[in-house]
Amino acid sequence: MSYDLLKQHIKKNVNLSVTELNQICDYFKPLSFKKKEFLLSQGSLCRFEGFVTEGCFRVFTLDKKGNENTLYFAAKDWWLMDIDSFMHQTTSDLNMQALEDSEVLLINREDKIALYEALPTVEKLFRIMFQKGLVSWQRRLVRNHCLTAKERYFHFIETYPDIASKLTDKQIAGYLGIRHEFLSKIKKSEN
Amino acid sequence: MSYDLLKQHIKKNVNLSVTELNQICDYFKPLSFKKKEFLLSQGSLCRFEGFVTEGCFRVFTLDKKGNENTLYFAAKDWWLMDIDSFMHQTTSDLNMQALEDSEVLLINREDKIALYEALPTVEKLFRIMFQKGLVSWQRRLVRNHCLTAKERYFHFIETYPDIASKLTDKQIAGYLGIRHEFLSKIKKSEN
DNA sequence: CAAAAGAGTTGAACAAGTTCAACTAGCGAA
DNA sequence: TTCGCTAGTTGAACTTGTTCAACTCTTTTG
């Protein structure tokens, strides 16, 4: 059952009773997405947070020049959120698109706020999750400054082989912040 | 009094009574740093989190090639933390150095954990802070991918004029992820 | 199945940013 | 005051990554 994955995920971060875990799960509703379908488009309001239980999503921005910049990929066991739009109900800059047929557990804004109130441990859960997230974004920025595109490419495919194997080179290039033509040249060059 | 700044900072994020604010402040001890002094050096364990009440710090890493990469500057009203080293007591990759004579309110690891337990609202406070932090790191990475060094330079000095005015060009270059020689050329070129 | 759209490759010309070395200017400490 | 250190500047050669256009190969779709 898809809720099991969410429960496992939560248990990795905080201690909660079975009852409490079920209570949390009650707030989440499963939803399916077909390949290429959008869970969120820029310009709209983000009314939910999602936990991926099957498949994979790409979260990206589109700048004025039409360049797609991928913030992250969300495979099974990852969260999908536009924190800023969700919390402040401002229009979103992000797009979330299914890379393959996917399943997500969704919680909407009102329920998330209610959940924080109902179970204070959920504050701790998300405090820890955001804390971890912050660290990995910091590290990613440092890698962007210190490493060449080639080094970043190999770091990515070695760190996330399962995700990388689902992606086109164009999508990987968008994540690394380079043009796909250049990624093609990187792959051709000796290791 | 330096604690007032911390109280104001907290009140911007969560609702707490005067008593509770004082209770939080009790966990923090003031400490002074002379210009160029280090609050943390890479290789050591980070045993504290700090809130800057006066002055300014630079938080940076040093890679194998000897390049300094600045993660962020922490002026008055900013936090100084190495989240990873602090939480998991692993050796730190970060250096925190005072750019001028500075004052910090410090809380150590045991007290931070105790504070989370004593006042559950503190979980919420840090959940919100980390959440905001995560958003700004995401945005910074996107800027790094989409903007040129020149655009990033102007974005920085326009967004943080007060901090920028305290910094040398070398330090700004380290933050932008470019060599200082190139920053010199950017500044010389027409706007 | 056929047509069209998208993914990947390649080369040539170009732009962005680095490296190194040499120089100038200013500041801090003794 | 003087010495030495660090910051900043500049130019030339170089490396990294982009752009554009042309082409091939798959995949999707009607």
Side-chain angles (χ1 to χ4, degrees), chain A residues 130-146:
Chain A
F130 289 135
Q131 200 172 264
K132 287 181 181 173
L134 214 154
V135 171
S136 48
W137 281 94
Q138 287 184 348
R139 295 214 171 119
R140 186 163 162 209
L141 189 92
V142 171
R143 283 197 303 275
N144 250 275
H145 282 170
C146 297

PDB file of all heavy atoms in Angstrom, chain A residues 130-146:
ATOM      1  N   PHE A 130      13.383  20.047   6.367  1.00  0.00           N
ATOM      2  CA  PHE A 130      13.841  21.296   5.749  1.00  0.00           C
ATOM      3  C   PHE A 130      15.315  21.539   6.062  1.00  0.00           C
ATOM      4  O   PHE A 130      16.062  22.059   5.239  1.00  0.00           O
ATOM      5  CB  PHE A 130      12.999  22.482   6.214  1.00  0.00           C
ATOM      6  CG  PHE A 130      11.598  22.481   5.642  1.00  0.00           C
ATOM      7  CD1 PHE A 130      10.502  22.736   6.437  1.00  0.00           C
ATOM      8  CD2 PHE A 130      11.386  22.228   4.293  1.00  0.00           C
ATOM      9  CE1 PHE A 130       9.209  22.737   5.902  1.00  0.00           C
ATOM     10  CE2 PHE A 130      10.101  22.223   3.751  1.00  0.00           C
ATOM     11  CZ  PHE A 130       9.011  22.477   4.558  1.00  0.00           C
ATOM     12  N   GLN A 131      15.690  21.163   7.274  1.00  0.00           N
ATOM     13  CA  GLN A 131      17.072  21.290   7.698  1.00  0.00           C
ATOM     14  C   GLN A 131      17.985  20.475   6.785  1.00  0.00           C
ATOM     15  O   GLN A 131      18.990  20.968   6.277  1.00  0.00           O
ATOM     16  CB  GLN A 131      17.136  20.731   9.119  1.00  0.00           C
ATOM     17  CG  GLN A 131      18.272  21.144   9.945  1.00  0.00           C
ATOM     18  CD  GLN A 131      18.052  20.655  11.373  1.00  0.00           C
ATOM     19  OE1 GLN A 131      17.560  21.382  12.215  1.00  0.00           O
ATOM     20  NE2 GLN A 131      18.417  19.430  11.649  1.00  0.00           N
ATOM     21  N   LYS A 132      17.607  19.221   6.544  1.00  0.00           N
ATOM     22  CA  LYS A 132      18.387  18.371   5.646  1.00  0.00           C
ATOM     23  C   LYS A 132      18.407  18.950   4.229  1.00  0.00           C
ATOM     24  O   LYS A 132      19.430  18.937   3.550  1.00  0.00           O
ATOM     25  CB  LYS A 132      17.783  16.961   5.584  1.00  0.00           C
ATOM     26  CG  LYS A 132      17.999  16.124   6.817  1.00  0.00           C
ATOM     27  CD  LYS A 132      17.373  14.738   6.614  1.00  0.00           C
ATOM     28  CE  LYS A 132      17.551  13.853   7.840  1.00  0.00           C
ATOM     29  NZ  LYS A 132      16.809  12.576   7.702  1.00  0.00           N
ATOM     30  N   GLY A 133      17.232  19.423   3.815  1.00  0.00           N
ATOM     31  CA  GLY A 133      17.121  19.999   2.474  1.00  0.00           C
ATOM     32  C   GLY A 133      18.055  21.176   2.305  1.00  0.00           C
ATOM     33  O   GLY A 133      18.769  21.289   1.309  1.00  0.00           O
ATOM     34  N   LEU A 134      18.072  22.034   3.324  1.00  0.00           N
ATOM     35  CA  LEU A 134      18.910  23.218   3.263  1.00  0.00           C
ATOM     36  C   LEU A 134      20.377  22.828   3.078  1.00  0.00           C
ATOM     37  O   LEU A 134      21.091  23.401   2.262  1.00  0.00           O
ATOM     38  CB  LEU A 134      18.724  23.998   4.556  1.00  0.00           C
ATOM     39  CG  LEU A 134      18.804  25.503   4.466  1.00  0.00           C
ATOM     40  CD1 LEU A 134      18.005  26.132   5.583  1.00  0.00           C
ATOM     41  CD2 LEU A 134      20.224  25.972   4.530  1.00  0.00           C
ATOM     42  N   VAL A 135      20.822  21.832   3.839  1.00  0.00           N
ATOM     43  CA  VAL A 135      22.205  21.379   3.737  1.00  0.00           C
ATOM     44  C   VAL A 135      22.511  20.909   2.312  1.00  0.00           C
ATOM     45  O   VAL A 135      23.542  21.268   1.737  1.00  0.00           O
ATOM     46  CB  VAL A 135      22.503  20.237   4.735  1.00  0.00           C
ATOM     47  CG1 VAL A 135      23.867  19.627   4.483  1.00  0.00           C
ATOM     48  CG2 VAL A 135      22.399  20.741   6.159  1.00  0.00           C
ATOM     49  N   SER A 136      21.583  20.147   1.714  1.00  0.00           N
ATOM     50  CA  SER A 136      21.918  19.638   0.382  1.00  0.00           C
ATOM     51  C   SER A 136      21.878  20.720  -0.689  1.00  0.00           C
ATOM     52  O   SER A 136      22.637  20.668  -1.650  1.00  0.00           O
ATOM     53  CB  SER A 136      21.073  18.424   0.007  1.00  0.00           C
ATOM     54  OG  SER A 136      19.735  18.669   0.256  1.00  0.00           O
ATOM     55  N   TRP A 137      21.035  21.734  -0.489  1.00  0.00           N
ATOM     56  CA  TRP A 137      21.076  22.863  -1.433  1.00  0.00           C
ATOM     57  C   TRP A 137      22.366  23.657  -1.293  1.00  0.00           C
ATOM     58  O   TRP A 137      22.939  24.103  -2.285  1.00  0.00           O
ATOM     59  CB  TRP A 137      19.858  23.773  -1.240  1.00  0.00           C
ATOM     60  CG  TRP A 137      18.646  23.201  -1.894  1.00  0.00           C
ATOM     61  CD1 TRP A 137      17.703  22.423  -1.309  1.00  0.00           C
ATOM     62  CD2 TRP A 137      18.273  23.321  -3.271  1.00  0.00           C
ATOM     63  NE1 TRP A 137      16.758  22.054  -2.239  1.00  0.00           N
ATOM     64  CE2 TRP A 137      17.081  22.596  -3.438  1.00  0.00           C
ATOM     65  CE3 TRP A 137      18.829  23.974  -4.373  1.00  0.00           C
ATOM     66  CZ2 TRP A 137      16.433  22.492  -4.676  1.00  0.00           C
ATOM     67  CZ3 TRP A 137      18.186  23.877  -5.593  1.00  0.00           C
ATOM     68  CH2 TRP A 137      17.000  23.141  -5.740  1.00  0.00           C
ATOM     69  N   GLN A 138      22.833  23.816  -0.076  1.00  0.00           N
ATOM     70  CA  GLN A 138      24.116  24.506   0.130  1.00  0.00           C
ATOM     71  C   GLN A 138      25.234  23.750  -0.569  1.00  0.00           C
ATOM     72  O   GLN A 138      26.051  24.335  -1.275  1.00  0.00           O
ATOM     73  CB  GLN A 138      24.445  24.601   1.628  1.00  0.00           C
ATOM     74  CG  GLN A 138      23.588  25.599   2.383  1.00  0.00           C
ATOM     75  CD  GLN A 138      23.999  25.737   3.832  1.00  0.00           C
ATOM     76  OE1 GLN A 138      24.778  24.952   4.356  1.00  0.00           O
ATOM     77  NE2 GLN A 138      23.461  26.748   4.506  1.00  0.00           N
ATOM     78  N   ARG A 139      25.235  22.432  -0.391  1.00  0.00           N
ATOM     79  CA  ARG A 139      26.292  21.625  -1.004  1.00  0.00           C
ATOM     80  C   ARG A 139      26.231  21.696  -2.511  1.00  0.00           C
ATOM     81  O   ARG A 139      27.256  21.727  -3.196  1.00  0.00           O
ATOM     82  CB  ARG A 139      26.143  20.170  -0.565  1.00  0.00           C
ATOM     83  CG  ARG A 139      26.377  20.007   0.916  1.00  0.00           C
ATOM     84  CD  ARG A 139      27.035  18.665   1.193  1.00  0.00           C
ATOM     85  NE  ARG A 139      27.435  18.609   2.581  1.00  0.00           N
ATOM     86  CZ  ARG A 139      26.978  17.724   3.457  1.00  0.00           C
ATOM     87  NH1 ARG A 139      26.110  16.792   3.078  1.00  0.00           N
ATOM     88  NH2 ARG A 139      27.413  17.733   4.698  1.00  0.00           N
ATOM     89  N   ARG A 140      24.996  21.694  -3.042  1.00  0.00           N
ATOM     90  CA  ARG A 140      24.848  21.740  -4.491  1.00  0.00           C
ATOM     91  C   ARG A 140      25.400  23.052  -5.039  1.00  0.00           C
ATOM     92  O   ARG A 140      26.054  23.072  -6.073  1.00  0.00           O
ATOM     93  CB  ARG A 140      23.373  21.563  -4.872  1.00  0.00           C
ATOM     94  CG  ARG A 140      23.177  21.462  -6.364  1.00  0.00           C
ATOM     95  CD  ARG A 140      21.824  20.883  -6.701  1.00  0.00           C
ATOM     96  NE  ARG A 140      21.439  21.153  -8.067  1.00  0.00           N
ATOM     97  CZ  ARG A 140      20.189  21.273  -8.488  1.00  0.00           C
ATOM     98  NH1 ARG A 140      19.196  21.117  -7.622  1.00  0.00           N
ATOM     99  NH2 ARG A 140      19.923  21.521  -9.734  1.00  0.00           N
ATOM    100  N   LEU A 141      25.154  24.127  -4.332  1.00  0.00           N
ATOM    101  CA  LEU A 141      25.686  25.414  -4.793  1.00  0.00           C
ATOM    102  C   LEU A 141      27.212  25.420  -4.781  1.00  0.00           C
ATOM    103  O   LEU A 141      27.847  25.879  -5.727  1.00  0.00           O
ATOM    104  CB  LEU A 141      25.164  26.571  -3.956  1.00  0.00           C
ATOM    105  CG  LEU A 141      25.543  27.910  -4.596  1.00  0.00           C
ATOM    106  CD1 LEU A 141      24.453  28.396  -5.518  1.00  0.00           C
ATOM    107  CD2 LEU A 141      25.902  28.948  -3.591  1.00  0.00           C
ATOM    108  N   VAL A 142      27.788  24.881  -3.726  1.00  0.00           N
ATOM    109  CA  VAL A 142      29.254  24.827  -3.652  1.00  0.00           C
ATOM    110  C   VAL A 142      29.790  23.988  -4.816  1.00  0.00           C
ATOM    111  O   VAL A 142      30.765  24.368  -5.466  1.00  0.00           O
ATOM    112  CB  VAL A 142      29.727  24.255  -2.300  1.00  0.00           C
ATOM    113  CG1 VAL A 142      31.217  23.988  -2.313  1.00  0.00           C
ATOM    114  CG2 VAL A 142      29.379  25.217  -1.169  1.00  0.00           C
ATOM    115  N   ARG A 143      29.141  22.866  -5.102  1.00  0.00           N
ATOM    116  CA  ARG A 143      29.584  22.048  -6.244  1.00  0.00           C
ATOM    117  C   ARG A 143      29.494  22.844  -7.539  1.00  0.00           C
ATOM    118  O   ARG A 143      30.359  22.747  -8.401  1.00  0.00           O
ATOM    119  CB  ARG A 143      28.721  20.791  -6.371  1.00  0.00           C
ATOM    120  CG  ARG A 143      29.062  19.707  -5.361  1.00  0.00           C
ATOM    121  CD  ARG A 143      28.483  18.354  -5.779  1.00  0.00           C
ATOM    122  NE  ARG A 143      27.057  18.387  -5.956  1.00  0.00           N
ATOM    123  CZ  ARG A 143      26.172  18.237  -4.974  1.00  0.00           C
ATOM    124  NH1 ARG A 143      26.574  18.050  -3.732  1.00  0.00           N
ATOM    125  NH2 ARG A 143      24.880  18.256  -5.234  1.00  0.00           N
ATOM    126  N   ASN A 144      28.448  23.636  -7.656  1.00  0.00           N
ATOM    127  CA  ASN A 144      28.293  24.443  -8.859  1.00  0.00           C
ATOM    128  C   ASN A 144      29.415  25.447  -9.021  1.00  0.00           C
ATOM    129  O   ASN A 144      29.802  25.773 -10.132  1.00  0.00           O
ATOM    130  CB  ASN A 144      26.960  25.172  -8.829  1.00  0.00           C
ATOM    131  CG  ASN A 144      26.017  24.626  -9.852  1.00  0.00           C
ATOM    132  OD1 ASN A 144      26.060  25.039 -11.000  1.00  0.00           O
ATOM    133  ND2 ASN A 144      25.220  23.647  -9.473  1.00  0.00           N
ATOM    134  N   HIS A 145      29.918  25.936  -7.903  1.00  0.00           N
ATOM    135  CA  HIS A 145      30.992  26.913  -7.964  1.00  0.00           C
ATOM    136  C   HIS A 145      32.355  26.262  -8.178  1.00  0.00           C
ATOM    137  O   HIS A 145      33.187  26.792  -8.891  1.00  0.00           O
ATOM    138  CB  HIS A 145      31.026  27.750  -6.686  1.00  0.00           C
ATOM    139  CG  HIS A 145      29.976  28.823  -6.648  1.00  0.00           C
ATOM    140  ND1 HIS A 145      29.705  29.550  -5.516  1.00  0.00           N
ATOM    141  CD2 HIS A 145      29.132  29.284  -7.600  1.00  0.00           C
ATOM    142  CE1 HIS A 145      28.741  30.424  -5.779  1.00  0.00           C
ATOM    143  NE2 HIS A 145      28.368  30.269  -7.030  1.00  0.00           N
ATOM    144  N   CYS A 146      32.559  25.102  -7.554  1.00  0.00           N
ATOM    145  CA  CYS A 146      33.899  24.509  -7.533  1.00  0.00           C
ATOM    146  C   CYS A 146      34.144  23.502  -8.649  1.00  0.00           C
ATOM    147  O   CYS A 146      35.280  23.299  -9.050  1.00  0.00           O
ATOM    148  CB  CYS A 146      34.160  23.810  -6.200  1.00  0.00           C
ATOM    149  SG  CYS A 146      34.148  24.940  -4.809  1.00  0.00           S
TER     150      CYS A 146
END
